[in-house]
Amino acid sequence: MRKAFVISSALLLVSFALQFVFAAVGGFTKPAADDAYTLHSVNGMAVIPVFTLLTALFAALAKAPGRLVALALLPIGLVVVQALLAMLATSATDAAGVSTPLGPIIGGLHAVNGIIAVHVVVGVLRAARRLAAPVDTAPVPVRAGEPV
């Protein structure tokens, strides 16, 4: 299970990296349309939560410390915050549909929250690798006459 924990957390990190790529695809699609961010939305609302749940499940099955299991679940909460920030940024427009000054600020928080989520997943992956590392139980050779 420890190897599955490492693999699922690595796949979660790849999914987050792709999330940034998909956001860039949406941002640079010309002409801009409502469906420009479809890949970003699907990955963020479906793929990342599934990988997060699998990672937390494998962490629990690998008998990881409770704190690590909770850390593995944290991206779900951050995804919820992401969705709320995206809705708030989109809704921060005036009657003509033009962004108010608050909209880009909230959009920036959406990006910062995404960076925080990536750092959480990197921490989970590092901890999973440490947990899966074999424990060296070989005796250390000591020369005759040396203190132990």
Side-chain angles (χ1 to χ4, degrees):
M1 282 298 126
R2 291 180 177 195
K3 193 169 207 158
F5 180 31
V6 172
I7 291 169
S8 65
S9 58
L11 288 172
L12 180 59
L13 183 59
V14 168
S15 183
F16 268 102
L18 286 173
Q19 188 69 346
F20 283 91
V21 172
F22 296 152
V25 167
F28 289 103
T29 297
K30 301 295 180 212
D34 288 341
D35 63 346
Y37 289 96
T38 300
L39 290 173
H40 183 73
S41 295
V42 169
N43 190 53
M45 299 304 245
V47 177
I48 287 175
V50 167
F51 279 138
T52 299
L53 291 175
L54 283 175
T55 299
L57 174 68
F58 288 136
L61 293 174
K63 296 187 168 104
R67 187 173 181 175
L68 181 55
V69 175
L71 190 65
L73 275 172
L74 183 57
I76 289 281
L78 294 172
V79 165
V80 171
V81 171
Q82 283 295 84
L84 292 172
L85 288 170
M87 286 187 292
L88 285 172
T90 303
S91 67
T93 57
D94 61 15
V98 177
S99 290
T100 63
L102 191 59
I105 292 170
I106 296 171
L109 292 175
H110 179 82
V112 170
N113 188 54
I115 292 168
I116 291 168
V118 168
H119 282 281
V120 168
V121 174
V122 166
V124 170
L125 178 57
R126 285 182 178 163
R129 285 181 175 164
R130 279 193 304 272
L131 190 66
V135 177
D136 187 18
T137 58
V140 177
V142 178
R143 290 189 223 166
E146 287 186 356
V148 180

